[in-house]
């Protein structure tokens, strides 16, 4: 969330302006936070691109909307697409272990094409609180367990389970934010979580040069999180800012931003580890 050849990840230049959705080779894709908002829109755009035999693993906290999305994609997406759902509470050790075990079970037998991991799951935290109101270690640790720890552990599990395969690229996307770069009042948890994730994935890019890494800031999206931002943020000036974005029609449709992310991946021209904003594309 924000205040203000080209066939698949790692495949080279895109097909050019005006081209329809490209069909990727058989691929393995892992998407967290898939049940709503940006994640749901991305899943709907990604599925038709995946070649026959591809694997799409959808993770989210809520089982019912996740199952509904999976059924929709199985019925309308590319033929031969395998869609698997993992409903897990990623802020808990038990839920994270469940998700990790699912990836370790599914990815070793995945098709011998590219791997794409999209870390989209995230939360705002209690944005009614100022810095000095954040006094509960359990609240803070739970926030970072969900927003930082789970992204690190699931990425590691996916890369290890998939392994290094000759001719198969591996791409990791972190859904970032302007908040990773700039502080905002009442958003101490969110800003620090996004900054930590950006740096964490920059380290991955440095340590694993054969893994393509992208920190993508999707812009101010028209989602439930934006509704919370303009109604629950403690600072009045910040609340007015978010209200003005909504009233002036500056919020971005999730599918528009998701399309830009796919364009970035298909063109594959970004520097590994880079922070790329919606407005930069």
């Amino acid at each position: 969330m924000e205040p203000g050849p080209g066939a698949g990840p790692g495949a080279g230049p895109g097909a050019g302006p005006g081209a329809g959705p490209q069909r990727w080779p058989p691929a393995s894709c892992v998407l967290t936070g898939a049940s709503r908002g940006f994640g749901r829109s991305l899943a709907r755009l990604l599925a038709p691109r995946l070649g026959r035999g591809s694997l799409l693993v959808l993770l989210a906290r809520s089982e019912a909307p996740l199952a509904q999305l999976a059924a929709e994609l199985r019925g309308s997406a590319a033929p031969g697409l395998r869609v698997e759902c993992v409903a897990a509470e990623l802020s808990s050790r038990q839920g994270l272990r469940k998700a990790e075990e699912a990836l370790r079970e599914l990815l070793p037998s995945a098709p011998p094409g590219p791997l794409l991991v999209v870390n989209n799951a995230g939360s705002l935290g209690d944005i009614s609180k100022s810095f000095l109101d954040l006094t509960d270690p359990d609240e803070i640790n739970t926030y970072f367990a969900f927003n930082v720890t789970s992204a690190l552990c699931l990425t590691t599990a996916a890369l290890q389970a998939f392994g290094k395969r000759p001719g198969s690229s591996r791409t990791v996307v972190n859904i970032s934010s302007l908040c990773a770069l700039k502080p905002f009042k009442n958003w101490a948890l969110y800003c620090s979580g996004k900054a930590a994730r950006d740096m964490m994935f920059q380290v991955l890019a440095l340590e694993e040069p054969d893994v393509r890494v992208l920190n993508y800031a999707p812009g101010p999206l028209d989602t439930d999180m934006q509704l919370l931002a303009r109604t629950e943020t403690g600072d009045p000036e910040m609340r007015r800012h978010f209200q003005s974005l909504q009233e002036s029609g500056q919020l971005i449709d999730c599918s528009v931003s998701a399309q830009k992310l796919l364009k970035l991946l298909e063109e594959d021209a970004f520097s590994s580890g880079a922070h790329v904003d919606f407005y930069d594309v």
Side-chain angles (χ1 to χ4, degrees):
M1 221 229 45
E2 304 244 347
Q22 301 174 57
R23 178 58 59 86
W24 296 6
S28 303
C29 301
V30 177
L31 173 59
T32 71
S35 64
R36 58 182 180 170
F38 182 80
R40 193 177 187 89
S41 294
L42 180 60
R44 285 171 167 160
L45 289 170
L46 181 60
R49 285 170 158 78
L50 299 176
R52 181 179 293 274
S54 292
L55 169 66
L56 177 58
V57 184
L58 305 174
L59 296 97
R61 178 190 293 120
S62 305
E63 185 170 4
L66 198 61
Q68 182 183 38
L69 175 62
E72 172 192 325
L73 297 182
R74 292 185 187 113
S76 62
L81 173 64
R82 179 185 175 192
V83 183
E84 297 287 346
C85 295
V86 183
E89 175 51 76
L90 297 180
S91 64
S92 71
R93 182 171 298 183
Q94 180 181 6
L96 181 55
R97 186 176 297 119
K98 175 184 177 182
E100 289 175 315
E101 289 173 355
L103 296 183
R104 292 190 182 108
E105 178 183 343
L106 292 167
L107 290 178
S109 59
L115 170 69
L116 172 63
V117 180
V118 181
N119 290 284
N120 171 63
S123 63
L124 280 177
D126 190 344
I127 53 175
S128 70
K129 294 181 177 179
S130 69
F131 188 102
L132 297 182
D133 294 325
L134 294 169
T135 58
D136 182 355
D138 290 337
E139 175 188 2
I140 297 165
N141 289 336
T142 298
Y143 181 85
F144 284 107
F146 177 47
N147 289 277
V148 180
T149 304
S150 72
L152 172 57
C153 292
L154 288 179
T155 300
T156 298
L159 291 174
Q160 290 180 343
F162 188 81
K164 294 185 179 182
R165 306 182 185 186
S168 293
S169 64
R170 298 181 295 168
T171 302
V172 174
V173 177
N174 168 45
I175 300 305
S176 185
S177 170
L178 175 62
C179 295
L181 309 177
K182 181 179 179 180
F184 291 88
K185 291 179 180 178
N186 287 98
W187 287 35
L189 292 178
Y190 189 78
C191 289
S192 53
K194 287 298 186 182
R197 276 171 54 152
D198 261 37
M199 183 56 68
M200 186 169 74
F201 286 107
Q202 287 180 54
V203 171
L204 172 63
L206 192 64
E207 291 183 352
E208 300 291 336
D210 63 326
V211 177
R212 301 282 286 141
V213 181
L214 173 64
N215 291 302
Y216 174 67
L221 301 175
D222 190 5
T223 62
D224 291 342
M225 289 179 75
Q226 264 287 341
L227 176 61
L228 286 174
R230 61 181 180 265
T231 57
E232 302 294 331
T233 300
D235 182 70
E237 185 179 350
M238 281 289 290
R239 271 202 316 277
R240 285 193 296 270
H241 168 70
F242 290 117
Q243 289 164 1
S244 71
L245 289 178
Q246 194 266 338
E247 292 167 358
S248 61
Q250 295 183 60
L251 296 181
I252 300 165
D253 185 271
C254 289
S255 62
V256 173
S257 186
Q259 186 66 56
K260 280 203 174 185
L261 172 57
L262 292 176
K263 179 175 182 285
L264 276 169
L265 294 175
E266 289 171 345
E267 291 179 346
D268 193 33
F270 58 88
S271 298
S272 190
H275 177 105
V276 180
D277 192 275
F278 172 86
Y279 294 106
D280 298 331
V281 182

